[in-house]
Amino acid sequence: MTFSFPAIYHMVIMTAEFLIGTTVNGFLIIVNCYDLFKSRTFLILQTLLMCTGLSRLGLQIMLMTQSFFSVFFPYSYEENIYSSDIMFIWMFFSSIGLWFATCLSVFYCLKISGFTPPWFLWLKFRISKLIVWLLLGSLLASLGTATVCIEVGFPLIEDGYVLRNAGLNDSNVKLVRNNDLLLINLILLLPLSVFVMCASMLFVSLYKHMYRMQSESHKLSSARTEAHINALKTVTTFFCFFVSYFAAFMANMTFRIPYRSHQFFVVKEIMAAYPAGHSVIIVLSNSKFKDLFRRMICLQKEE
């Protein structure tokens, strides 16, 4: 078996993303589970972060499995990866990861934004119930999306897409079900739209708040200024990761990218960067998580 340079390079990148993602998401799951167990009450942020960590850990494992088979077992890729059971799990984690990230953005928007319209304040005062319903809705929507995709069927299974793109077979193959699958997955434009709206509101609110503080007092404490700048950076980074993942996911769902091509590997790498990078930003933007994580990996000497 021979390995091309793009395949080896891709495997190195994916392994690094997998190790980072599993470490950081595992950390988020353990820390927030401990907080929930210790408090014995429903904590919104901890529940959200635990659910987000679980969904991203599952997505990271699925992406790594796909990469492993595409590099080391290219001719058994279709049989092992595109079975109905595996594809159901893949579609579920892909969908629920987007929905949970949207729930997190809704929480941050309601918690931090300084908007005062009546409808916004009404939602803000009912944030606990809203988040519970959003999490349940996300779970049901993801299960529904995965189920419908499996019912429609994946063109790879019946149409020999993998073999055709490996240059082995039939130039007359038609991917009949591509459009159906793409239309089904366009339902994920809903969490994307909500995420963009919340991120935009949060960005505008933080920017206005920072500008107002600076105009009111020239002796603004550097700590407060730094806190708002960090919040703006976090929102912007969240937005970039989310949009790049969504674009790569939709490109992947067209099934038009040649198998084991450079574009094929790049799409997988972009998708794997989201569950790892987004969670890293969550840890770095939270002083408690950052200190705990540093102690865990022995980067900070205990006094």
Side-chain angles (χ1 to χ4, degrees):
M1 183 184 293
T2 58
F3 301 105
S4 63
F5 176 75
I8 297 172
Y9 183 69
H10 163 72
M11 203 62 205
V12 171
I13 294 176
M14 286 295 295
T15 302
E17 290 176 331
F18 176 75
L19 291 174
I20 294 170
T22 50
T23 302
V24 177
N25 286 304
F27 169 80
L28 285 175
I29 294 166
I30 293 169
V31 170
N32 289 289
C33 273
Y34 176 77
D35 287 344
L36 286 169
F37 178 78
K38 187 178 178 181
S39 66
R40 297 183 184 278
T41 56
F42 176 70
L43 303 173
I44 309 172
L45 182 58
Q46 281 75 9
T47 303
L48 272 172
L49 291 175
M50 186 185 66
C51 291
T52 302
L54 284 168
S55 67
R56 288 174 182 169
L57 186 62
L59 179 60
Q60 201 87 50
I61 292 170
M62 290 303 301
L63 287 168
M64 190 63 192
T65 303
Q66 288 185 353
S67 296
F68 180 81
F69 274 96
S70 67
V71 172
F72 296 107
F73 305 100
Y75 300 116
S76 62
Y77 182 84
E78 179 179 349
E79 179 184 352
N80 291 281
I81 297 301
Y82 288 99
S83 64
S84 295
D85 292 339
I86 295 297
M87 286 311 300
F88 178 87
I89 298 170
W90 153 245
M91 288 304 305
F92 173 75
F93 280 119
S94 296
S95 177
I96 204 166
L98 292 172
W99 280 106
F100 281 168
T102 301
C103 292
L104 196 60
S105 72
V106 170
F107 173 81
Y108 283 136
C109 181
L110 292 173
K111 202 74 176 175
I112 300 173
S113 296
F115 296 106
T116 56
W119 64 269
F120 188 86
L121 294 175
W122 186 86
L123 290 174
K124 192 167 189 171
F125 293 139
R126 292 162 178 80
I127 189 170
S128 297
K129 291 182 179 179
L130 176 66
I131 294 301
V132 170
W133 283 109
L134 283 175
L135 288 174
L136 289 173
S138 299
L139 179 62
L140 292 175
S142 300
L143 287 171
T145 301
T147 302
V148 173
C149 283
I150 296 302
E151 289 298 321
V152 169
F154 286 85
L156 307 183
I157 296 172
E158 296 179 3
D159 297 329
Y161 174 85
V162 169
L163 297 178
R164 181 173 66 88
N165 280 280
L168 299 177
N169 216 351
D170 208 351
S171 60
N172 297 321
V173 172
K174 294 184 180 179
L175 306 179
V176 178
R177 293 170 177 168
N178 279 346
N179 293 334
D180 291 338
L181 282 170
L182 201 56
L183 285 173
I184 291 168
N185 281 282
L186 283 178
I187 195 173
L188 296 177
L189 283 173
L190 178 58
L192 176 67
S193 302
V194 175
F195 180 91
V196 170
M197 181 182 70
C198 290
S200 301
M201 290 175 66
L202 191 54
F203 186 88
V204 170
S205 177
L206 288 170
Y207 180 80
K208 284 183 176 180
H209 187 55
M210 229 172 75
Y211 180 80
R212 186 166 57 250
M213 287 193 303
Q214 288 176 335
S215 61
E216 288 175 357
S217 173
H218 295 288
K219 298 180 180 180
L220 182 66
S221 67
S222 59
R224 261 185 109 185
T225 306
E226 186 180 352
H228 282 80
I229 291 173
N230 287 338
L232 287 173
K233 287 180 180 178
T234 301
V235 172
T236 304
T237 311
F238 272 21
F239 180 81
C240 292
F241 272 118
F242 191 97
V243 172
S244 61
Y245 172 80
F246 184 83
F249 175 75
M250 294 308 290
N252 183 68
M253 289 309 298
T254 63
F255 296 101
R256 301 279 182 175
I257 301 173
Y259 177 60
R260 298 192 86 210
S261 65
H262 178 66
Q263 296 89 341
F264 175 85
F265 291 137
V266 168
V267 165
K268 298 294 183 184
E269 288 158 12
I270 292 172
M271 292 175 71
Y274 163 72
H278 201 172
S279 297
V280 168
I281 297 302
I282 290 174
V283 171
L284 293 178
S285 62
N286 186 299
S287 57
K288 175 192 169 182
F289 291 159
K290 189 160 60 173
D291 291 340
L292 282 172
F293 193 74
R294 280 177 177 172
R295 286 199 290 271
M296 266 185 56
I297 58 176
C298 302
L299 292 180
Q300 180 177 325
K301 293 181 181 179
E302 293 190 13
E303 298 181 358

